[in-house]
Amino acid sequence: EADIYQTPRYLVIGTGKKITLECSQTMGHDKMYWYQQDPGMELHLIHYSYGVNSTEKGDLSSESTVSRIRTEHFPLTLESARPSHTSQYLCASSVPGSPLHFGNGTRLTVT
Amino acid sequence: GENVEQHPSTLSVQEGDSAVIKCTYSDSASNYFPWYKQELGKRPQLIIDIRSNVGEKKDQRIAVTLNKTAKHFSLHITETQPEDSAVYFCAASNDYKLSFGAGTTVTVRA
């Protein structure tokens, strides 16, 4: 089934660890996004991509980085996690002028 | 850039009553306006959308209206039910970027 998949679903790690949140979509969408969201709160755009080898920073400053080597894959990496990174991270994809499709999210806790 | 304001931030309604959420946008080039519903612990999901060449769209108990001159659009939910309780996000998009409102937490009281 065509969808957008995020792994892991939940992650608890210690301060200073490097982590990568995975996002893959099977819909052939060119545009992909990463949002940071505290439960029930505003969606903050942290990174987006128009296609392969394209990455842009979003509206919210983030210490994370992204890469887009393949159309279907848009991983997000934190080089050194901190408690302030505790949040939910939502990946999404779309084609221009059409709605975003969201993944189920990764709930990250940094202790 | 685009700025989307959403009101109210919280809304409590009696089951069976109507709920209305209003959004304003700043970029006159915006031409696509989706609404998302996010239930507790779940991902945002599209519930209805409208394009700038249409003034109103309805899908069962949900309707959206758009006033391009005033740059505002609204979500109307009629005959609310407990399963309508969720956070609702409006958004405005041109061909390049989509901007979200801050969200409205809707609680339907039984």
Side-chain angles (χ1 to χ4, degrees):
Chain A
E1 180 182 342
D3 205 346
I4 182 163
Y5 302 94
Q6 288 187 244
T7 57
R9 188 79 172 88
Y10 301 93
L11 180 61
V12 180
I13 62 166
T15 298
K17 299 293 185 182
K18 176 180 179 179
I19 59 167
T20 296
L21 308 184
E22 300 290 346
C23 176
S24 294
Q25 50 97 3
T26 57
M27 296 175 283
H29 289 170
D30 286 328
K31 297 185 76 173
M32 296 189 74
Y33 313 78
W34 276 103
Y35 287 87
Q36 184 176 342
Q37 184 193 32
D38 292 327
M41 302 299 285
E42 195 169 351
L43 292 155
H44 295 286
L45 180 65
I46 52 175
H47 296 283
Y48 60 101
S49 167
Y50 289 122
V52 171
N53 294 325
S54 154
T55 60
E56 304 285 346
K57 288 188 180 294
D59 303 321
L60 181 69
S61 175
S62 173
E63 294 160 337
S64 58
T65 59
V66 292
S67 63
R68 189 88 183 277
I69 298 172
R70 302 196 318 263
T71 298
E72 62 271 21
H73 194 212
F74 192 40
L76 181 144
T77 298
L78 277 168
E79 291 292 334
S80 180
R82 296 208 301 267
S84 61
H85 295 137
T86 295
S87 189
Q88 175 169 244
Y89 293 83
L90 286 162
C91 183
S93 70
S94 74
V95 293
S98 291
L100 267 63
H101 295 266
F102 284 91
N104 281 318
T106 293
R107 187 154 294 180
L108 174 65
T109 303
V110 183
T111 60
Chain B
E2 176 67 277
N3 181 41
V4 178
E5 294 193 357
Q6 183 171 346
H7 299 281
S9 57
T10 62
L11 180 60
S12 179
V13 296
Q14 189 70 36
E15 183 178 356
D17 288 349
S18 295
V20 180
I21 303 169
K22 298 182 179 181
C23 290
T24 61
Y25 63 99
S26 59
D27 185 356
S28 57
S30 289
N31 55 20
Y32 176 63
F33 306 90
W35 286 87
Y36 288 84
K37 175 184 180 182
Q38 186 177 27
E39 297 177 21
L40 188 64
K42 297 191 176 179
R43 58 178 143 178
Q45 296 207 310
L46 179 77
I47 54 171
I48 195 167
D49 56 7
I50 191 168
R51 299 195 182 271
S52 57
N53 59 347
V54 176
E56 184 173 357
K57 185 176 179 181
K58 190 174 182 181
D59 182 4
Q60 299 182 345
R61 296 186 297 108
I62 293 172
V64 58
T65 59
L66 171 65
N67 183 325
K68 285 172 53 181
T69 303
K71 296 201 190 80
H72 66 72
F73 56 113
S74 300
L75 179 73
H76 304 254
I77 307 173
T78 58
E79 301 173 21
T80 53
Q81 300 169 4
E83 54 264 37
D84 295 328
S85 294
V87 181
Y88 292 81
F89 294 94
C90 65
S93 173
N94 54 30
D95 291 333
Y96 301 99
K97 191 176 178 185
L98 181 116
S99 299
F100 283 96
T104 297
T105 300
V106 174
T107 303
V108 180
R109 307 187 306 272

